[in-house]
Amino acid sequence: MSASPLSQLACLINNSVVALEKACSDSNLPFPSLDDPFSPASEAFRANPQAEEATKVIAAAAHQLMMMVLPPSVALYTLVSGQFKTAALRVCAEANVTEIIREAGPQGMHVKDIAKRANLNSGKLARLLRYLATHHVYKEVLPDVFVNNRISSMLDTGKAVNDIIASPESKHDNTPGFAAIVGHHLDEVYKSSGNLWENMSNPVTANSVETNETAFNTAMDVKTTFWETLAQPDQEYRQRRFDIAMKGVAALESADAILKAYDWESLPKDSVVVDVGGGVGATSMVLAKNIPNVKIVVQDQPTVIAEGSTPFWEKEMPDALASGRATLQAHDFFTPQPVKNASVFLLKQIMHDWSDPYAIKILSQLRRAAQPDTKLILIDSVIPFACHDPSADANTDTENSLRIVGISPKEAPMPLLANFGVANELAYVADLTMLVLFNSQERTVKHLAELLDGTGWRLTKVVRDQAAGSFLQPVEAVPII
């Protein structure tokens, strides 16, 4: 008699816990306590591949087990109640509750004192904190007394409460950026998500792929795009927070992640790498420092080049500009690509900002400028299916019988969802964020292959980095001759 799904899940959890504890022991690193505030050093254990794999299996199995054993109505309401979790978190983030509790010390703080410092109603705040503590965000150590824990401490800017109150618009300045990411999602993304049905059911916007006909536009009642809206004078705080949030997102990937995206050492001397939509050129600078034989061209809008890229390179690598190893070029990627001798066109987190019609324009312009041996590197999240994909078993494009390296992601063991369920949720969060803000998306490997094929490119490789925290999968393509 085969084991029941319940037993299989319990076995997966047990075996993975044993593997996790062994990996931590072998690495001489403790597994962090949920009760202790977060510190970057506490995540060191994830550098062990066995530990990282075990955590994903445990999380996926535990969540699947929870959804199986709860009454269906209760299981459904763990999703239906999402708006209350978001609302409670936003109150705590905006009112600096985590910082207030941190300053109170490890013994915690009574909710009346927290509320007084935050200028909130204590009865209402108590209900929000208790609800969050029920979901392991904050901890109620005595009736109405709360402390931070590993999860709530992620909201901490690290700043003194008095400084935040004195200059609320500067709250996220000079911080790592994670609290800013959270603030962005609890504000613009949350409000946009709440209007997704209204946007999708409106005949005018239901099938739109335009960046100014999104759920964000519906929620904010504006006709301008997300970028244009944040550029308005009355949106200065949101713009500042978003800019810092994007630095925080970049920091989630290791600084040298770009070095794994392609075999850069294989490029001949003086090969040209064009960083299309490269912003200030932080990614390209890593290449410039580590691959000295290549030439870098960073392209972006004129204001970005003048106000961001130029000061950044003049400060960090002025010799690269002076020698011509790095060039900063104003360019709109919807117009003809001026660089005709590129060995590599690099687009990091560009394609996910644009719906297919716009993505086709970008890729087509690059294809027209490409040489037969030019490589195209796209770096976004490649969305895995929630099921096994039989067509990818042979690692081939079955229609053209061509081998595609890395087309299949590593799948979770049965009876887990093939994509590791909630352990891989951030990729889907990114995808839906693109939907509500831009009418754009992250894409599956099949979608990418079709998009590339339709613009004269052939998908040849997907880089599947299993390193801890990796959320971007570089895709390599070559011109169809």
Side-chain angles (χ1 to χ4, degrees), residues 117-375:
R117 191 83 170 91
N119 195 28
L120 295 174
N121 178 279
S122 62
K124 293 179 181 180
L125 181 59
R127 293 156 66 186
L128 298 180
L129 283 171
R130 189 165 296 114
Y131 180 60
L132 290 174
T134 302
H135 291 279
H136 305 287
V137 183
Y138 302 104
K139 183 176 182 180
E140 190 170 17
V141 290
L142 290 169
D144 288 321
V145 176
F146 294 88
V147 297
N148 283 319
N149 65 359
R150 184 170 172 79
I151 311 303
S152 68
S153 66
M154 296 301 296
L155 295 170
D156 196 349
T157 60
K159 292 189 170 184
V161 177
N162 283 341
D163 291 344
I164 298 174
I165 293 173
S167 181
E169 70 280 0
S170 304
K171 176 177 180 175
H172 297 287
D173 291 1
N174 302 311
T175 67
F178 194 82
I181 299 171
V182 172
H184 162 62
H185 274 265
L186 294 176
D187 185 6
E188 301 101 286
V189 178
Y190 169 46
K191 292 173 181 176
S192 301
S193 302
N195 282 268
L196 184 56
W197 165 247
E198 285 74 13
N199 183 265
M200 290 181 64
S201 61
N202 184 335
V204 176
T205 56
N207 298 306
S208 176
V209 296
E210 299 302 322
T211 54
N212 66 340
E213 294 182 340
T214 67
F216 171 81
N217 292 106
T218 304
M220 307 298 282
D221 192 25
V222 294
K223 299 296 184 182
T224 49
T225 68
F226 175 81
W227 308 114
E228 292 167 343
T229 303
L230 260 60
Q232 299 300 314
D234 63 345
Q235 297 296 315
E236 181 184 359
Y237 174 72
R238 282 186 170 126
Q239 180 71 71
R240 289 173 70 171
R241 182 178 62 190
F242 182 81
D243 291 342
I244 296 165
M246 292 305 97
K247 292 179 182 178
V249 169
L252 293 177
E253 277 280 300
S254 63
D256 64 350
I258 185 61
L259 301 178
K260 303 176 184 178
Y262 179 70
D263 183 10
W264 304 105
E265 297 283 359
S266 68
L267 293 174
K269 188 176 185 299
D270 293 331
S271 293
V272 177
V273 176
V274 183
D275 189 356
V276 182
V280 299
T283 296
S284 294
M285 187 169 287
V286 176
L287 291 180
K289 290 179 177 179
N290 289 274
I291 315 293
N293 289 332
V294 302
K295 293 184 176 180
I296 307 289
V297 179
V298 179
Q299 297 179 335
D300 214 298
Q301 296 291 339
T303 54
V304 176
I305 295 296
E307 299 172 12
S309 306
T310 299
F312 178 67
W313 282 80
E314 286 177 345
K315 177 183 177 182
E316 300 293 333
M317 285 191 75
D319 58 315
L321 292 179
S323 67
R325 282 190 55 224
T327 303
L328 309 179
Q329 186 178 73
H331 173 61
D332 178 349
F333 48 49
F334 293 115
T335 63
Q337 170 59 236
V339 180
K340 307 297 184 183
N341 64 333
S343 294
V344 177
F345 287 124
L346 170 66
L347 291 84
K348 183 179 180 185
Q349 292 181 286
I350 299 298
M351 303 307 296
H352 74 167
D353 284 339
W354 301 96
S355 58
D356 282 359
Y358 290 95
I360 288 170
K361 292 178 183 179
I362 297 169
L363 294 172
S364 297
Q365 294 291 3
L366 296 177
R367 178 62 187 90
R368 294 186 188 104
Q371 299 296 312
D373 59 350
T374 298
K375 300 295 191 298

Side-chain angles (χ1 to χ4, degrees), residues 31-47:
F31 186 79
S33 168
L34 181 60
D35 292 337
D36 295 334
F38 166 80
S39 71
S42 68
E43 288 289 284
F45 75 95
R46 295 188 196 275

Side-chain angles (χ1 to χ4, degrees), residues 406-427:
I407 189 173
S408 301
K410 183 175 182 179
E411 293 185 354
M414 292 292 289
L416 300 180
L417 295 174
N419 63 355
F420 285 90
V422 297
N424 203 25
E425 184 165 359
L426 279 183

